[in-house]
Amino acid sequence: MSILTIRNLKKAFGVQSVLHDVSATVESGQRIGVVGPNGCGKTTLLKIIAGEVEADGGEINPQRGSTISYVSQQPRLDPVQTLSQQIKAALDHVHQIEADMQTVAESLSSLPAGPEHDAAMKRFDHLQHLFEHAGGWEIDRKVDAVIEELGFRSTDMNTPVGQLSGGQKSRVQLARMLLEAADMIILDEPTNHLDMNMLSWLEEKLLEFSEAAMLIVSHDRYFLDRVATQVWDMSDGNLEIYNGDYSAYLEQRELRRLTQERQWQQQAKFIEKQEEYIRRFQAGQRSRQARGRKTRLERYKSEESISRPVGPGDDVILNLKVDKPSGREVLKIKSLSHSFGDAPLFNNMEFELPRGQRVGVVGPNGCGKSTLLNILAGITAPNHGTVYWGHGVSLQYYRQEQQDLDTTHTIYQELQAARITANRQQIYDLAALFLFSGDTVDKPISGLSGGEKARVCMAKMLLHPANVILMDEPTNHLDLMTCEVVEDALQTYDGTLLIVSHDRCFLDSTCDRILAIEPWDTSGPGWRLVEESCTDYLAGMQARIHAIAEKQRKLQARAATVAPKPESASKPAVIDPEGKIPHLYRQSTVIQLEEEIARLERQVAEAAAALARPEIARDHQQLSKRNAEYEKSKSDLALCTLAWELKMASA
């Protein structure tokens, strides 16, 4: 069933047209990924559908009575309201139904029997049906569940939205989307600011909305592969539709390009044949026919001819060979530890990297990934430990918000300075890959946005790479095509890479080892360096989490029973040489100790379960507190068990 119909949609900003006669249909249950280069009109299309922007022409026809939930790229939240108020505002319509029910109920008590009373009763029944359909009786439970799933603490709820981080604001919007349960969900770059655990959670949640239609703009290819059932490809204001996920879209797009290439070649032969006829006979006996053909050919070129499709072979290929390689031993880290205030980030980190290693750094938000790169770059001093860079190392550090650019230069001048041997056309070709074309190449750096500056920095780095590159979220300001350009370029890079990224596809393409920071795993050092792809690491991580959950289940099952008494025939000699057993345990009876052991085992299991919860793992203060509770419970259990063994040995 169609939930939205788009017909001949047009939109321009000044003289620049971004949408040309765009037409499409959205069906209930469809999950549509919207892709295309930056500036092609993706966000504009979503805003028009959401009612945020008015189209210049065409029609937007949603199904009558349908509702839309819009998660924008820039959160639309009241900075003065608290986090709690903003989340609960998603259910204002339910609260209004409840208020109307109360009003009608109060009027019923004062109305005498008759038509007016019957009408009020009918109105109350209708409101009650709406309230139940909206899940009104479970509204508090829904809010609590969403808040917990998104990792918010109870202490966050009274925080003004203006004081939240970008990631927290994104999660507030997602919370509202979940609670609104709309017929159509519009998501503009929903994966920005989300760590990998939260990405997996969002994928699962969206798949649960089987009846809702979705329009999703995202540069996360794995996310689109998991979620999308159709892809809209936008370019030059036009829209092409492909059925299937992102991988299916790539295959179909390449087949379509090959078909268009053959058509273009046939067209080129036709045009060449016509032009040859015109040249041969324009001055002879067949000049009249030649003039007629020339007129028809000019009309054909202006109205019917097709442009040559752009393919992979037309891209500029960047060769990232370093001028001066480093020594064989590039980096050695010893006993590296760092905390943020009272919250530990990573502890006793030790590893070595030889030349040519490609390492992806992953972990939950706030675990210290960017801090680690800052320490390696010499910007931040660690609390403890040392960082040794090897002989001949030259370092470049790509950061999203701290670009090293000359603001008096134009884009062209900055790129030219990075590789003085490049000619003007090569600079223009590279600039075009990073979405700077035509006159924009001559724009001053001082007038660029943050995202534009980030793209200039990326292009400079690729033009003249050092033998060691650190990159912090390099794909955040790149569209899908540019991501692929950077990936292809890094395939030719023969230096050493350390990349912090949430883009799983990018890490799989560029890295062969993963440095994972794991504050959620309290049984290990809190970090691991593994020789596997990002995808393989994440699969293994999920298996480890499941193993922890199974262990907790067994602990809880064990805690439900009282510890059995050992047979008196084999009583070991149990002693307490240091007098660690508390006086309370010494004075307790065997039965009392068995009851206390059962209670402490339940307490240990509950504490272990809390440590494995994602919202606890992402909150360093909560993680530290819960870990202390877990260790205290384990210690108490060990002492209580020792006291029980002493009692049994002396019985």
Side-chain angles (χ1 to χ4, degrees):
M1 179 176 63
S2 294
I3 197 167
L4 178 74
T5 303
I6 304 169
R7 292 193 182 94
N8 305 118
L9 206 62
K10 300 179 179 67
K11 182 64 183 179
F13 294 99
V15 296
Q16 183 180 6
S17 178
V18 293
L19 298 176
H20 311 307
D21 291 321
V22 169
S23 298
T25 300
V26 180
E27 304 288 335
S28 296
Q30 273 189 325
R31 297 187 297 272
I32 300 167
V34 185
V35 303
N38 288 347
C40 71
K42 301 187 298 293
T43 294
T44 300
L45 176 62
L46 297 196
K47 286 183 175 180
I48 291 173
I49 295 172
E52 299 279 319
V53 171
E54 187 174 346
D56 296 334
E59 298 178 1
I60 293 283
N61 297 316
Q63 183 188 51
R64 186 174 181 180
S66 62
T67 55
I68 293 177
S69 180
Y70 176 40
V71 177
S72 61
Q73 192 170 160
Q74 299 297 326
R76 304 168 304 139
L77 302 169
D78 187 338
V80 178
Q81 284 195 332
T82 65
L83 185 151
S84 177
Q85 289 172 326
Q86 283 287 282
I87 289 178
K88 291 180 178 179
L91 296 168
D92 280 349
H93 64 292
V94 183
H95 292 302
Q96 185 58 54
I97 295 171
E98 187 176 22
D100 292 344
M101 284 173 60
Q102 181 65 28
T103 301
V104 174
E106 291 173 357
S107 69
L108 279 169
S109 62
S110 60
L111 289 172
E116 197 173 350
H117 183 279
D118 293 343
M121 193 66 203
K122 186 176 181 180
R123 168 69 173 159
F124 181 83
D125 289 341
H126 175 67
L127 289 170
Q128 189 174 43
H129 172 75
L130 292 177
F131 188 70
E132 290 174 351
H133 182 70
W137 303 117
E138 299 180 338
I139 193 169
D140 291 334
R141 185 191 62 78
K142 282 184 178 179
V143 171
D144 290 343
V146 166
I147 288 171
E148 182 178 355
E149 285 181 333
L150 284 162
F152 289 117
R153 303 166 297 181
S154 58
T155 53
D156 293 329
M157 302 315 294
N158 293 322
T159 304
V161 168
Q163 297 179 18
L164 299 178
S165 67
Q168 288 174 316
K169 289 176 182 176
S170 295
R171 284 186 281 144
V172 171
Q173 287 207 115
L174 291 175
R176 291 173 58 117
M177 178 268 291
L178 292 175
L179 291 170
E180 286 168 349
D183 300 303
M184 173 175 282
I185 298 171
I186 299 176
L187 302 161
D188 193 358
E189 294 291 1
T191 63
N192 282 357
H193 306 294
L194 299 184
D195 59 34
M196 290 181 178
N197 287 338
M198 192 59 71
L199 269 174
S200 297
W201 170 86
L202 180 59
E203 289 171 355
E204 295 295 338
K205 278 296 173 184
L206 294 181
L207 293 174
E208 288 177 10
F209 285 83
S210 57
E211 299 299 322
M214 298 181 196
L215 282 171
I216 307 168
V217 169
S218 177
H219 69 271
D220 188 317
R221 288 155 286 180
Y222 282 2
F223 179 78
L224 291 176
D225 246 351
R226 181 84 194 280
V227 173
T229 58
Q230 190 177 86
V231 173
W232 290 2
D233 186 353
M234 296 187 65
S235 181
D236 298 325
N238 299 308
L239 184 150
E240 290 186 341
I241 296 174
Y242 298 81
N243 290 320
D245 58 19
Y246 185 76
S247 294
Y249 149 73
L250 291 178
E251 294 176 3
Q252 294 173 57
R253 186 186 67 177
E254 180 60 15
L255 286 173
R256 194 172 294 187
R257 189 194 70 81
L258 292 173
T259 300
Q260 292 172 344
E261 175 73 22
R262 286 194 293 270
Q263 291 173 344
W264 180 85
Q265 290 174 352
Q266 292 171 356
Q267 170 187 274
K269 290 180 181 178
F270 169 76
I271 292 174
E272 183 181 7
K273 184 176 180 180
Q274 297 302 309
E275 289 176 341
E276 175 63 21
Y277 182 93
I278 293 167
R279 281 194 301 271
R280 288 180 60 190
F281 299 111
Q282 61 184 349
Q285 294 181 346
R286 301 183 186 178
S287 60
R288 184 175 179 181
Q289 292 93 326
R291 288 195 299 272
R293 288 200 182 194
K294 183 177 182 180
T295 300
R296 290 192 296 274
L297 181 60
E298 288 173 350
R299 186 185 305 120
Y300 172 81
K301 286 181 177 181
S302 63
E303 298 178 2
E304 300 180 45
S305 65
I306 59 174
S307 301
R308 184 174 188 177
V310 176
D314 300 305
D315 292 338
V316 175
I317 298 175
L318 293 165
N319 193 323
L320 270 63
K321 298 291 183 182
V322 298
D323 295 333
K324 296 180 179 180
S326 66
R328 183 174 178 179
E329 300 299 326
V330 171
L331 175 64
K332 181 183 291 185
I333 290 176
K334 295 194 69 176
S335 304
L336 194 67
S337 301
H338 197 75
S339 300
F340 186 75
D342 295 331
L345 295 178
F346 42 81
N347 185 50
N348 200 33
M349 186 179 287
E350 292 194 0
F351 62 85
E352 298 179 8
L353 289 184
R355 182 178 60 224
Q357 285 287 298
R358 299 159 169 265
V359 180
V361 185
V362 302
N365 286 343
C367 73
K369 302 185 298 295
S370 295
T371 300
L372 176 61
L373 290 195
N374 286 338
I375 290 173
L376 297 182
I379 296 169
T380 300
N383 297 146
H384 185 266
T386 52
V387 174
Y388 300 97
W389 286 106
H391 173 72
V393 166
S394 60
L395 186 67
Q396 283 176 317
Y397 185 14
Y398 173 87
R399 291 184 289 168
Q400 300 177 68
E401 300 172 358
Q402 304 272 342
Q403 292 90 10
D404 181 19
L405 298 172
D406 187 337
T407 56
T408 65
H409 279 176
T410 64
I411 295 173
Y412 178 86
Q413 289 170 328
E414 278 293 286
L415 298 182
Q416 181 72 67
R419 184 183 287 180
I420 58 176
T421 58
N423 61 41
R424 189 170 185 83
Q425 188 58 51
Q426 289 172 327
I427 296 295
Y428 269 84
D429 288 343
L430 177 68
L433 289 176
F434 286 87
L435 312 175
F436 300 112
S437 57
D439 295 339
T440 60
V441 179
D442 296 316
K443 286 177 65 175
I445 299 296
S446 58
L448 301 182
S449 67
E452 289 173 324
K453 289 178 181 177
R455 297 204 305 273
V456 174
C457 282
M458 179 70 72
K460 283 183 62 179
M461 183 176 291
L462 298 182
L463 277 170
H464 190 68
N467 57 39
V468 176
I469 296 178
L470 309 179
M471 307 177 91
D472 191 4
E473 295 293 354
T475 64
N476 271 9
H477 296 292
L478 307 181
D479 62 28
L480 292 174
M481 293 177 63
T482 311
C483 281
E484 292 171 0
V485 169
V486 175
E487 287 171 6
D488 290 342
L490 290 177
Q491 292 295 335
T492 69
Y493 179 62
D494 56 354
T496 305
L497 280 174
L498 282 96
I499 303 174
V500 169
S501 180
H502 293 139
D503 189 328
R504 296 158 290 180
C505 187
F506 187 82
L507 289 178
D508 276 353
S509 174
T510 57
C511 297
D512 45 34
R513 301 178 83 183
I514 293 295
L515 174 60
I517 301 177
E518 302 177 331
W520 49 268
D521 188 357
T522 57
S523 63
W527 62 272
R528 300 170 70 222
L529 183 61
V530 294
E531 294 192 23
E532 55 190 20
S533 68
C534 179
T535 296
D536 289 341
Y537 163 74
L538 291 175
M541 183 188 74
Q542 292 300 322
R544 288 166 61 210
I545 290 174
H546 287 198
I548 291 172
E550 179 63 18
K551 184 177 180 180
Q552 292 162 359
R553 187 191 66 76
K554 291 180 179 178
L555 282 171
Q556 290 169 346
R558 181 185 171 197
T561 63
V562 178
K565 299 180 182 180
E567 296 181 7
S568 57
S570 56
K571 295 178 183 176
V574 183
I575 58 175
D576 179 23
E578 300 179 11
K580 290 184 177 180
I581 297 176
H583 179 72
L584 176 63
Y585 291 165
R586 292 180 183 276
Q587 299 302 314
S588 299
T589 66
V590 170
I591 293 176
Q592 288 172 333
L593 287 172
E594 288 174 347
E595 291 174 349
E596 180 66 4
I597 287 171
R599 186 190 71 81
L600 287 170
E601 285 181 331
R602 288 194 296 272
Q603 191 168 295
V604 168
E606 290 169 0
L611 284 171
R613 285 162 53 190
E615 65 270 20
I616 298 297
R618 288 189 292 269
D619 185 333
H620 295 300
Q621 292 181 348
Q622 281 288 317
L623 184 64
S624 179
K625 177 184 175 184
R626 295 301 182 100
N627 189 53
E629 293 173 353
Y630 174 69
E631 294 298 334
K632 176 67 166 56
S633 298
K634 283 204 307 180
S635 176
D636 289 346
L637 177 59
L639 291 172
C640 189
T641 302
L642 181 59
W644 177 83
E645 290 174 347
L646 279 170
K647 289 280 185 182
M648 295 302 298
S650 60

